[in-house]
Amino acid sequence: MGHSKLLLAGVSALAMVCIGLPAAAADKEIVTVVKVTGENWFTRMEEGVDKYGADTDGITARQVGPAKADAAQQTAIIQDLIAQDVDAITIVPMDPSALEGVLRRAMKRGIVITTHEADNLQNTQVDMEAFDNHEFGAHFAEQIVECMGEKGQWTSFVGSLGSLTHVQWADGGEEYAAKFPGMELVSPKNESFNDANRAYEIAKEILRTYPDIKGFQGGSAIDVIGIGRAVEEAGLEDRTCVIGLGLPKDTGPYLETGAVDSIAFWDPLDAGYVMNILTKMTVMGEEIKDGMDLGVQGYNNVKVSAGPGEGIIVRGQAWVDVDAANYKEYPF
């Protein structure tokens, strides 16, 4: 497959941004690499990837990922895709910093790189974020602070310390809660490694260590499931506040019992679809503009700014809040 070189024009946070690759009209292959295969979040994302491929002439779109959430396994998959000489790779990194080298190699080979949940990456043409990540974390903490009556012990979970967005959410939550003198953060940023059973075991240990703890902020999409299970077993549904990222179908039983108070999410199907929209635009040399409407709810007025490297960051405003009253409106 032939590729021409990326042309970047004046990137500005407030101005029109134009990036792209002149490309022939021949079929193009876009491969999405996710953190882990089999987790419901990324199963839902694959529906979006497949839908984009079905909706779009001239594009073959597919999704792959490691059997467990592991940056080294992601790297190996990307190396294999480079060897296959695919046209473009979209990636949800487990640890963005661990992928800089392999993504640099891919870009030097002319492969277009789009990333998600990785706004610190140097080696990407486009990073797509569903929203401002610090604001998202502060949004969780705002609910936790209110639920706790502005006082008491609370903690936070992340998929891993290398999962950039999870850390940003935890930091955003910590910064918000620090405004309230009665809030005490204990044992922050517990790593679940996207494993509900691990989150459950950690939550049980935290409940033993801090018997007066009231608040839990979840990072990985399955953290609230593990935390909710531990809270429910301890009979603490009425005296704890569990809020974080999650999917309605997975979290529904704990929302019903009150073991989890509320969740927020952005639809992984839409994220997969939008990542592929942006990737095709880059492959075909089309403009990506500040304020443009990508035709997907939550991405109707995107903000475009310069990234840390030569690429750009595209942000939507796509989060949705869900609790026991409305989670059944979202059948995933």
Side-chain angles (χ1 to χ4, degrees):
M1 297 180 189
H3 301 273
S4 48
K5 201 171 181 180
L6 176 69
L7 301 175
L8 277 173
V11 177
S12 168
L14 299 176
M16 176 186 297
V17 181
C18 173
I19 71 171
L21 298 171
D27 286 354
K28 300 295 179 182
E29 183 179 22
I30 302 173
V31 183
T32 298
V33 182
V34 296
K35 293 180 183 180
V36 60
T37 295
E39 183 180 308
N40 288 345
W41 185 273
F42 295 113
T43 299
R44 175 74 175 174
M45 181 171 283
E46 188 168 19
E47 294 178 30
V49 172
D50 291 345
K51 185 175 188 301
Y52 181 80
D55 289 348
T56 310
D57 292 336
I59 294 292
T60 298
R62 60 187 174 96
Q63 179 173 301
V64 296
K68 68 175 184 176
D70 179 77
Q73 290 189 30
Q74 267 197 322
T75 299
I77 289 171
I78 296 166
Q79 289 172 335
D80 184 56
L81 293 173
I82 293 171
Q84 294 175 37
D85 200 22
V86 299
D87 296 281
I89 306 173
T90 71
I91 306 151
V92 188
M94 183 65 189
D95 182 346
S97 62
L99 299 183
E100 291 281 19
V102 71
L103 297 185
R104 185 183 307 114
R105 180 183 168 208
M107 290 172 64
K108 286 182 177 178
R109 290 280 295 270
I111 297 171
V112 167
I113 299 297
T114 301
T115 49
H116 179 45
E117 298 190 61
D119 64 10
N120 67 334
L121 263 173
Q122 299 274 339
N123 291 286
T124 181
Q125 276 101 319
V126 181
D127 178 69
M128 190 280 281
E129 300 295 323
F131 37 69
D132 181 283
N133 287 303
H134 279 84
E135 288 181 5
F136 191 56
H139 178 64
F140 285 144
E142 182 179 10
Q143 296 172 79
I144 290 170
V145 169
E146 181 179 358
C147 177
M148 290 176 56
E150 301 184 4
K151 62 182 179 180
Q153 295 177 329
W154 72 290
T155 191
S156 60
F157 280 59
V158 296
S160 76
L161 292 174
S163 295
L164 175 66
T165 51
H166 298 187
V167 172
Q168 290 173 327
W169 303 338
D171 287 343
E174 181 175 350
E175 289 166 13
Y176 179 85
K179 300 174 184 178
F180 300 88
M183 297 292 293
E184 179 188 357
L185 179 63
V186 297
S187 184
K189 298 174 184 168
N190 297 280
E191 293 182 284
S192 67
F193 294 102
N194 293 57
D195 184 329
N197 287 327
R198 183 178 174 89
Y200 163 70
E201 293 295 342
I202 294 170
K204 284 204 305 180
E205 180 60 31
I206 288 172
L207 287 169
R208 285 193 293 267
T209 305
Y210 303 97
D212 296 325
I213 196 165
K214 294 180 181 178
F216 292 83
Q217 177 176 317
S220 163
I222 50 73
D223 286 347
V224 291
I225 299 171
I227 297 166
R229 178 183 164 198
V231 165
E232 195 171 83
E233 287 184 1
L236 298 174
E237 297 94 328
D238 294 334
R239 52 159 288 193
T240 55
C241 303
V242 180
I243 294 167
L245 182 69
L247 286 178
K249 190 172 182 180
D250 293 342
T251 320
Y254 298 105
L255 291 170
E256 290 279 6
T257 65
V260 175
D261 294 85
S262 69
I263 57 172
F265 63 94
W266 68 107
D267 191 342
L269 183 153
D270 290 343
Y273 200 97
V274 170
M275 282 191 287
N276 277 263
I277 289 174
L278 294 169
T279 302
K280 184 195 173 187
M281 292 179 70
T282 307
V283 168
M284 303 306 292
E286 300 174 11
E287 290 181 338
I288 300 175
K289 304 176 184 179
D290 190 68
M292 74 186 307
D293 183 351
L294 296 177
V296 177
Q297 183 65 36
Y299 305 90
N300 306 115
N301 181 21
V302 297
K303 304 302 178 186
V304 180
S305 60
E310 295 185 345
I312 59 172
I313 300 170
V314 179
R315 288 188 174 90
Q317 182 53 276
W319 84 57
V320 178
D321 290 314
V322 168
D323 59 19
N326 68 338
Y327 81 92
K328 291 182 180 178
E329 297 174 16
Y330 303 92
F332 56 86

